[in-house]
Each structure stands twice: as C-alpha cells, then as structure tokens.
Amino acid sequence: LAGNAVRFGAVADTLVIGEGLETVLSLRTAFPALPLAAALSAQHLRAFRIPRTAKRLIIAVDRDEAGLSAAIALQRRAQAEGVEAKLLVPRRKDFNDDLRADGPVVIAAMVRAQVVDNDRAAIDPHRTRSP
C-alpha cells in the first residue's frame, strides 16, 4: 500500500489526493468527474507516488498535525519533482465535516475559490471560469 492510493477516476494532468476516504468521497460528492485518490492515512499520503501523467497535484488537507505535516511534505516533494502542488484546506477538520455541515454546493464554491484559473477547468470540466 505504501506509495499507492485508492483511485477514483482516471488520472490526467490534474489529480486531487486526500488523506482519508471520507475526505476524498466528500469532494467526489461536489465534483463527481474529478480524478481523486485516497491515501488512507497520513503516512501513506506522505509516501504517495505521484503518477507520471500528473502535472498538477491538489492535496486535500486534514486539519490535524499529522495530516498537515504529511500534506506539506507531499507538496514539497511534488514541487521538487517538477509537479505543481497546491494545498486545499477545509474550514473544519476535514472536507467530510464541511460536507455534513454545509452541503455539496458550499463545498464546491469553497474549492473553486481556492484553486487558480487553470485548475478550475480540471476540477470542474462542465463549468467555465468562475466569476
């Protein structure tokens, strides 16, 4: 399992990875077509092997010490490998807590607000640029 993750969707040039299944499936609720991967633990997130096809990695953070540390370590390694890497931060502990409190429409808006223009098409291919 080390270095791998449970994948949802085919990896193209952008992949969203999160520490836990709940985080990843919560994002999938808001973005059904989004290529996602669940690392299943903070240690596995830190050790994730970035697919060769990935040019951008969006890392969904769990807001605890282990999750944040692993996300930052993966971000640094991705950047050292020439892959753009961005952290995606929930309002609460994780995106599952946000989904249960706010629903998928609010989660989608929050994610769109955190990603740059060139990532918006990758995370939400049926939507054009956000205002």
Side-chain angles (χ1 to χ4, degrees):
L1 185 62
N4 295 306
V6 178
R7 303 234 176 129
F8 301 89
V11 178
D13 62 347
T14 300
L15 175 66
V16 177
I17 182 162
E19 176 182 330
L21 248 143
E22 295 88 356
T23 290
V24 169
L25 291 176
S26 296
L27 290 168
R28 185 102 175 154
T29 300
F31 298 97
L34 184 62
L36 294 152
L40 306 182
S41 76
Q43 288 180 317
H44 289 119
L45 180 66
R46 182 183 301 271
F48 178 67
R49 284 188 218 127
I50 303 163
R52 295 185 202 281
T53 59
K55 294 178 183 152
R56 278 184 233 96
L57 194 62
I58 300 173
I59 306 162
V61 175
D62 278 10
R63 292 181 100 172
D64 57 28
E65 188 175 333
L68 187 56
S69 173
I72 290 170
L74 177 57
Q75 180 186 36
R76 288 181 179 152
R77 187 166 47 81
Q79 290 169 338
E81 292 176 19
V83 175
E84 291 178 45
K86 172 160 184 47
L87 300 181
L88 188 60
V89 182
R91 290 181 181 160
R92 294 167 185 84
K93 182 187 175 296
D94 61 28
F95 284 98
N96 186 254
D97 288 346
D98 287 352
L99 176 66
R100 291 182 316 171
D102 301 327
V105 172
V106 173
I107 296 296
M110 183 176 61
V111 169
R112 285 186 194 104
Q114 289 188 52
V115 297
V116 294
D117 285 343
N118 62 340
D119 290 333
R120 285 193 181 121
I123 66 162
D124 202 359
H126 303 295
R127 183 182 169 104
T128 55
R129 292 184 188 262
S130 297

